[in-house]
């Protein structure tokens, strides 16, 4: 915690999704992007030494929100197309076909 490349993100309005404590002002992110801790200046101070700090300037943060969706018709049509984006030679082009 607070070691080995962790980063402190602060000065933000962070939605936690936890009914008991729905908002935070800072969060600590580990080197692999995992949220290690979070809190508010009035209730809990960040611990440890951080490799980096980032002032989010009051930004609204929703950790872990990924909008992964597909439009069914367009997604199906994409599967029917030949993807040659990885072909960088005539041989790779022919092999893909």
């Amino acid at each position: 915690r607070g070691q080995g490349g962790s980063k402190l993100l602060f000065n933000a309005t962070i939605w936690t999704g936890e009914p008991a404590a729905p908002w935070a002002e800072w969060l600590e992110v580990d080197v692999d992007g995992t949220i290690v801790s979070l809190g508010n200046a009035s209730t809990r101070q960040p611990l440890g030494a951080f490799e980096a700090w980032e002032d989010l300037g009051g930004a609204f943060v929703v950790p872990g929100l990924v909008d992964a969706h597909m439009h069914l018709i367009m997604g199906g049509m994409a599967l029917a197309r030949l993807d040659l984006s990885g072909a960088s030679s005539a041989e790779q082009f022919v092999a893909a076909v």
Side-chain angles (χ1 to χ4, degrees), residues 3 5-6 12-13 18 22 29 32 34 39-40 42 44 51 53 56 70 77-78 86 88-90 94 96-97:
Q3 304 291 325
S6 66
T13 300
E18 294 292 330
V29 182
D32 65 358
T34 302
N40 293 300
S42 61
R44 182 176 174 200
E51 186 171 298
W53 300 265
L56 298 181
M70 169 185 77
M77 290 174 65
S88 60
S89 68
V94 171
V97 175

Side-chain angles (χ1 to χ4, degrees), residues 46-89:
L47 303 173
F50 303 96
E51 186 171 298
W53 300 265
E54 186 171 345
D55 184 341
L56 298 181
F60 181 71
V61 178
V62 182
L65 178 65
V66 177
D67 179 19
H69 75 278
M70 169 185 77
H71 296 258
L72 190 59
I73 300 298
M74 291 173 24
M77 290 174 65
L79 293 173
R81 294 188 194 118
L82 181 59
D83 180 10
L84 298 172
S85 61
S88 60
S89 68

